[in-house]
């Protein structure tokens, strides 16, 4: 990671941290904002994956999976934008899906990294465990408006803190010397 990428990561982490704290302080009134943030993040992520597919990934092995994921995320984001009367159930459903899937993937990545003796497996495992705990909390408190806001805010705060920690972590660089 270059110095500029570290600074950019740190600034983005601070902004996300402030956003998570502000959403938590706003309480149940911020549910429409959370729906808007979910819709925008899904749509933008899907659009970025589609752009990546058409620029590079279509030439890669299994590049069509990136196309399919991009289409699904873009469609989910567009569907979320069209919800005129939203309920906490929709927000909790998205939170359960995102946190459970992300947590499962992070735990699997951490176990693979531990098997390969990589030093950063503990942070990835902690991130996965926190995501799984947040998904379980979403299931337990499915019908509570204020809890949905706090769970979303906790996810944002955890994401911001892990981004800030990553910006200060040294990255390993592999040098290949000519023989």
């Amino acid at each position: 990671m270059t110095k500029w990428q570290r600074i950019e990561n740190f600034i983005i982490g601070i902004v996300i941290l402030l956003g998570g704290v502000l959403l938590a302080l706003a309480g149940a009134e911020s549910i429409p904002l959370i729906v808007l943030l979910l819709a925008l993040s899904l749509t933008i992520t899907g659009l970025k994956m589609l752009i990546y597919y058409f620029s590079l990934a279509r030439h890669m092995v299994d590049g069509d999976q990136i196309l399919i994921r991009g289409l699904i995320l873009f469609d989910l984001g567009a569907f979320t934008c069209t919800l005129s009367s939203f309920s906490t159930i929709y927000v909790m459903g998205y939170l359960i899906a995102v946190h459970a899937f992300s947590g499962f993937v992070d735990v699997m990545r951490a176990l693979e990294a531990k098997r390969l003796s990589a030093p950063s497996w503990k942070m990835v495992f902690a991130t996965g465990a926190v995501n799984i705990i947040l998904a379980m909390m979403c299931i337990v408190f499915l019908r509570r408006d204020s809890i949905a806001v706090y769970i979303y805010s906790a996810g944002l705060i955890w994401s911001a803190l892990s981004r800030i920690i990553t910006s200060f972590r040294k990255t390993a660089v592999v040098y290949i010397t000519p023989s």
Side-chain angles (χ1 to χ4, degrees):
M1 192 181 299
T2 65
K3 287 181 185 179
W4 172 249
Q5 287 173 332
R6 289 180 192 276
I7 293 169
E8 181 182 17
N9 229 4
F10 179 77
I11 292 171
I12 291 172
I14 294 294
V15 169
I16 292 173
L17 182 69
L18 290 174
V21 170
L22 289 176
L23 282 175
L25 292 175
E29 297 90 35
S30 61
I31 288 182
L33 182 61
I34 290 175
V35 171
L36 179 68
L37 288 174
L38 282 171
L40 284 175
S41 65
L42 287 169
T43 305
I44 290 171
T45 303
L47 200 58
K48 284 170 64 175
M49 290 180 91
L50 289 173
I51 290 170
Y52 176 65
Y53 171 77
F54 286 114
S55 63
L56 182 68
R58 64 182 170 168
H59 304 293
M60 295 171 31
V61 174
D62 287 338
D64 56 339
Q65 290 180 2
I66 293 171
L67 173 67
I68 293 168
R69 276 190 266 158
L71 286 173
I72 290 172
L73 287 175
F74 186 78
D75 286 344
L76 276 175
F79 173 71
T80 306
C81 284
T82 62
L83 292 176
S84 59
S85 63
F86 48 85
S87 172
T88 310
I89 299 294
Y90 292 128
V91 175
M92 287 297 213
Y94 280 113
L95 291 177
I96 290 169
V98 167
H99 285 299
F101 181 74
S102 176
F104 177 72
V105 168
D106 284 345
V107 167
M108 298 305 288
R109 281 183 40 223
L111 294 176
E112 180 70 23
K114 183 180 179 187
R115 200 172 19 251
L116 296 173
S117 301
S120 65
W121 72 272
K122 293 175 188 171
M123 183 66 181
V124 176
F125 185 80
T127 301
V130 167
N131 278 327
I132 290 173
I133 290 169
L134 288 174
M136 286 191 281
M137 286 177 58
C138 286
I139 293 170
V140 171
F141 300 109
L142 192 62
R143 298 243 182 220
R144 305 264 317 261
D145 291 351
S146 60
I147 300 296
V149 173
Y150 295 135
I151 290 172
Y152 186 76
S153 298
L156 282 179
I157 290 169
W158 177 258
S159 173
L161 290 176
S162 64
R163 187 180 280 261
I164 291 169
I165 290 170
T166 302
S167 69
F168 287 114
R169 178 177 288 149
K170 285 190 169 203
T171 54
V173 177
V174 178
Y175 291 105
I176 300 174
T177 57
S179 51

